[in-house]
């Protein structure tokens, strides 16, 4: 494989800071040749991204990152090469966005209870899509307001379980998220598995087994949330559970993301990539002009 693939990134349609055109331009400038836009619970940017990606000469697959849960733990499932017009997928995402809105209102009340008022109104100013206000938008507002100095501080002080701004939300069960992705013709990928606190549920082994048993097909082996030992760990688990391997930067912002497009290592040739049977992936093996 000679070309760069990145199958996890976000635009201003969810909690990224770049417009779709700028996001695709940046990816192209960094050598990406196969890309998916995977906004949280939102498909509004897919058609636009496809047009810009093709204009830059990149191959594009439609995507989404679905908020789900397993054993009470929030788990994100990326759907790749989906039909973004599939009615069941659109309905499920609409319901999740409604839940996000309710969570945002409850978070606003939780912050007000500790004397930090008007946080939702502030977060909304950072969210061009009024139907999708996330914790990231809350965090950006709190940083610019001077309450915290970084994303990490916001989440550590306020947004982890037991902290005053944390609001528990019941998301779509993981198995249902997988099912709706597959119904829409897509491939279900477990996003950044190293981020989840699942030690009490059999650890990564238990999570990936449950994901595979529910019909999940791939796992992000290489991503910004993982360090080299975890790349090896999830490569081994992908083989153990016969899962395809994916790669993605989870890019949100030039100033917030841990890695830039193109900076992650390539997948090991011993792994079967999620794109192994996609015609779009032929660009990864073509020699640059």
């Amino acid at each position: 494989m000679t070309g760069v693939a990145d199958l996890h990134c976000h635009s201003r349609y969810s909690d990224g800071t770049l417009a779709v055109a700028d996001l695709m331009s940046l990816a192209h400038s960094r050598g990406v040749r196969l890309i998916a836009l995977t906004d949280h619970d939102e498909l509004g940017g897919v058609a636009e991204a496809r047009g810009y990606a093709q204009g830059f000469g990149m191959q594009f697959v439609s995507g989404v990152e679905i908020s789900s849960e397993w054993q009470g733990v929030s788990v994100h499932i990326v759907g790749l090469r989906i039909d973004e017009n599939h009615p069941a997928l659109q309905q499920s995402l609409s319901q999740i966005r409604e839940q996000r809105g309710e969570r945002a209102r409850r978070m606003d009340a939780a912050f007000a209870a500790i004397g930090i008022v008007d946080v939702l109104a502030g977060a909304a100013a950072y969210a061009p899509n009024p139907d999708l206000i996330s914790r990231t938008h809350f965090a950006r507002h709190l940083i610019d307001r001077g309450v915290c100095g970084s994303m990490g501080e916001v989440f550590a002080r306020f947004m982890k379980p037991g902290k005053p701004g944390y609001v528990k939300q019941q998301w779509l069960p993981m198995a249902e998220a997988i099912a709706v992705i597959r119904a829409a013709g897509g491939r279900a990928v477990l996003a950044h598995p190293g981020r989840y606190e699942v030690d009490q549920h059999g650890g990564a082994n238990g999570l990936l087994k449950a994901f595979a048993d529910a019909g999940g097909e791939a796992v992000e082996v290489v991503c910004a949330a993982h360090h080299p030992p975890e790349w090896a760990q999830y490569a081994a688990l992908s083989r153990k559970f016969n899962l395809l391997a994916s790669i993605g930067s989870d890019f949100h912002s030039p100033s917030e993301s841990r890695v830039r497009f193109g900076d992650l290592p390539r997948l090991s040739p011993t792994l079967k990539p999620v794109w192994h049977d996609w015609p779009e992936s032929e660009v990864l093996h073509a020699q640059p002009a």
Side-chain angles (χ1 to χ4, degrees):
M1 187 177 81
T2 58
V4 174
D6 195 307
L7 301 177
H8 189 163
C9 66
H10 301 275
S11 77
R12 283 167 64 86
Y13 277 91
S14 63
D15 59 349
T17 63
L18 297 184
V20 167
D22 295 331
L23 184 70
M24 293 298 114
S25 176
L26 179 61
H28 174 256
S29 75
R30 296 288 303 159
V32 176
R33 304 179 81 178
L34 174 65
I35 192 165
L37 178 67
T38 56
D39 277 319
H40 292 283
D41 307 316
E42 175 61 68
L43 298 165
V46 169
E48 187 180 349
R50 180 183 292 111
Y52 281 111
Q54 291 173 348
F56 285 116
M58 296 186 292
Q59 289 294 314
F60 180 85
V61 294
S62 52
V64 68
E65 185 172 11
I66 298 182
S67 304
S68 76
E69 69 174 64
W70 174 72
Q71 300 286 8
V73 178
S74 176
V75 173
H76 291 179
I77 310 298
V78 167
L80 294 176
R81 216 163 179 266
I82 52 172
D83 172 8
E84 68 264 30
N85 298 309
H86 192 275
L89 176 62
Q90 290 186 336
Q91 181 179 9
S92 293
L93 296 180
S94 177
Q95 292 172 347
I96 294 172
R97 289 194 298 272
E98 289 179 8
Q99 292 176 327
R100 279 183 170 273
E102 174 58 27
R103 181 182 69 168
R105 290 185 287 273
R106 291 164 58 203
M107 287 175 62
D108 185 54
F111 276 104
I114 59 170
I116 306 174
V117 299
D118 297 327
V119 180
L120 177 55
Y126 295 78
N129 181 353
D131 293 330
L132 202 148
I133 299 178
S134 74
R135 295 188 303 169
T136 301
H137 297 122
F138 274 77
R140 288 175 183 147
H141 168 69
L142 290 169
I143 292 168
D144 286 350
R145 187 166 162 176
V147 176
C148 294
S150 67
M151 282 280 181
E153 183 185 351
V154 173
F155 279 85
R157 285 180 57 189
F158 295 110
M159 294 190 190
K160 289 189 174 182
K163 301 299 181 179
Y166 175 77
V167 171
K168 182 171 175 56
Q169 179 65 50
Q170 186 171 4
W171 301 110
L172 191 70
M174 181 175 72
E176 291 186 26
I178 293 168
V180 76
I181 288 168
R182 298 191 63 165
R187 189 159 280 167
V189 183
L190 180 62
H192 39 62
R195 279 179 41 181
Y196 310 122
E197 297 180 3
V198 292
D199 288 348
Q200 69 274 35
H201 303 298
N205 193 80
L207 172 59
L208 267 70
K209 182 180 187 305
F211 176 77
D213 288 348
E217 298 172 87
V219 59
E220 283 184 356
V221 171
V222 176
C223 63
H226 293 173
H227 297 288
E230 292 169 310
W231 299 337
Q233 175 189 7
Y234 289 104
L237 287 172
S238 71
R239 298 185 190 97
K240 178 177 180 178
F241 295 109
N242 198 30
L243 292 167
L244 302 172
S246 191
I247 181 171
S249 61
D250 196 10
F251 185 89
H252 284 75
S253 165
S255 62
E256 295 172 0
S257 297
R258 282 182 54 191
V259 300
R260 299 183 299 171
F261 284 120
D263 279 358
L264 289 170
R266 310 297 171 86
L267 289 177
S268 166
T270 65
L271 298 171
K272 192 172 186 179
V274 67
W275 58 76
H276 72 96
D277 56 352
W278 296 349
E280 296 90 348
S281 70
E282 293 177 7
V283 70
L284 297 177
H285 304 283
Q287 293 298 323

